Amino acid sequence: MIARRATLPGLTLALAASLSIACSKDPPKGDAPPPLPSATPLASGAASSATASACASGGGEVKDPVTAAFFPRTEGSYCVDPQGETRTYGEKGKYSMDEVCTTAFDGECEVYKRYGLKRVVSFRYVDGGGKGATVDVVLSQFADVAGAFGLYTMRLVAGDPVDPSTPRVLEVAAKGAQTGGAGAIGTGRAYVWRGNALVELQYNNDRETPAQLKASSDAALSAIGKAIAAKLPEEAGKPPSARLLPAADLIPNGVQFFPKEPFGWKNVGATAVGFYKNGDKR
């Protein structure tokens, strides 16, 4: 319940159990999001498993009983790598959370832990069409919706969301759906968020030119990302402060969410920052 709404220069504040901020100009600056952690780093020639026969028998399986139902075995010409490994970390995982720091996230572990990381699953899709492409998938599950949504928005908004480098919206929710979820896609990278889960996908193909990689990665990541989103458990939606942001003139992917202590402010709860554009006005 909103106790008070106040308008200040450059800010609209909605004060409740959480805080929602809509910025009119000069978006807050932040570090660029770190690169997507690779599920199993590609060695030289590792993509050779993506042969024309790789998916002939229906592909492999995600060998994790907790999350296997979230991932289709096949999608288009892609399938779960029949020769690949499913790695699980944290709760009910094969590896510990300490090992996720040394074998999965390549120095980013503390970023994920700060958002309440509880469990990680990683595996790979391969292209059965024989074009040498692979898609690494990393599913991170957090203690709550706020942690997953916060890291999702951190991936997308490092500065100004109208910058051409900002990932585009990937429509992952069915029209009219009331459940929460969102997606974004850039060249070679895609992200899907729903509830306490964040899925990060990375496309790899060293046989393609940059132009070819952009086109083929868009097609592969869109298809696989939407297929996974459709299987993730349904959730109620964004955290309350993010829902308080006005929808009119909100820039696509223009939300940054902090589960706590935004901008280093102490004793401040969950905060959403909205980026807006109306004609030339910001």
Side-chain angles (χ1 to χ4, degrees):
M1 178 176 180
I2 300 176
R4 180 178 64 184
R5 181 174 293 275
T7 302
L8 303 175
L11 295 175
T12 297
L13 305 181
L15 303 178
S18 53
L19 174 67
S20 179
I21 304 176
C23 297
S24 63
K25 62 185 293 185
D26 296 332
K29 302 298 181 182
D31 295 333
L36 175 68
S38 177
T40 48
L42 284 174
S44 177
S48 61
S49 63
T51 64
S53 61
C55 301
S57 61
E61 297 181 0
V62 175
K63 297 177 182 178
D64 174 38
V66 179
T67 64
F70 302 168
F71 306 107
R73 289 185 64 186
T74 63
E75 179 59 40
S77 65
Y78 287 81
C79 67
V80 176
D81 187 352
Q83 300 178 25
E85 176 189 3
T86 301
R87 295 188 180 185
T88 56
Y89 302 84
E91 293 179 355
K92 298 182 180 179
K94 179 179 179 180
Y95 304 102
S96 70
M97 289 303 294
D98 288 337
E99 288 173 297
V100 81
C101 298
T102 57
T103 65
F105 284 163
D106 192 23
E108 299 189 295
C109 189
E110 293 307 315
V111 176
Y112 284 76
K113 285 184 176 180
R114 192 162 64 242
Y115 284 91
L117 180 69
K118 294 296 184 182
R119 194 169 195 273
V120 175
V121 179
S122 65
F123 68 97
R124 172 173 291 160
Y125 284 99
V126 295
D127 178 17
K131 296 181 180 179
T134 63
V135 174
D136 288 332
V137 179
V138 178
L139 166 68
S140 299
Q141 294 175 299
F142 296 80
D144 52 27
V145 172
F149 186 67
L151 187 55
Y152 170 74
T153 66
M154 188 205 77
R155 288 296 196 197
L156 305 187
V157 182
D160 190 342
V162 300
D163 189 281
S165 64
T166 301
R168 312 179 305 279
V169 172
L170 175 63
E171 296 291 351
V172 297
K175 290 184 177 180
Q178 298 300 312
T179 55
I185 186 169
T187 300
R189 303 286 173 90
Y191 310 90
V192 173
W193 158 77
R194 177 172 282 175
N196 72 338
L198 172 63
V199 181
E200 302 177 77
L201 304 101
Q202 177 176 295
Y203 177 91
N204 311 284
N205 195 335
D206 57 9
R207 303 180 189 176
E208 295 180 320
T209 66
Q212 290 172 330
L213 187 143
K214 182 181 187 308
S216 55
S217 70
D218 277 3
L221 296 178
S222 293
I224 295 173
K226 291 178 180 180
I228 292 173
K231 291 178 173 290
L232 290 174
E234 295 184 351
E235 297 288 348
K238 297 176 182 177
S241 58
R243 294 200 299 268
L244 285 173
L245 290 171
D249 300 325
L250 183 65
I251 294 169
N253 288 335
V255 175
Q256 195 168 26
F257 179 76
F258 303 88
K260 61 182 179 179
E261 297 186 358
F263 316 113
W265 300 340
K266 301 297 183 182
N267 302 316
V268 176
T271 302
V273 180
F275 297 78
Y276 291 81
K277 182 174 173 54
N278 185 327
D280 293 333
K281 296 181 179 179
R282 295 294 308 278

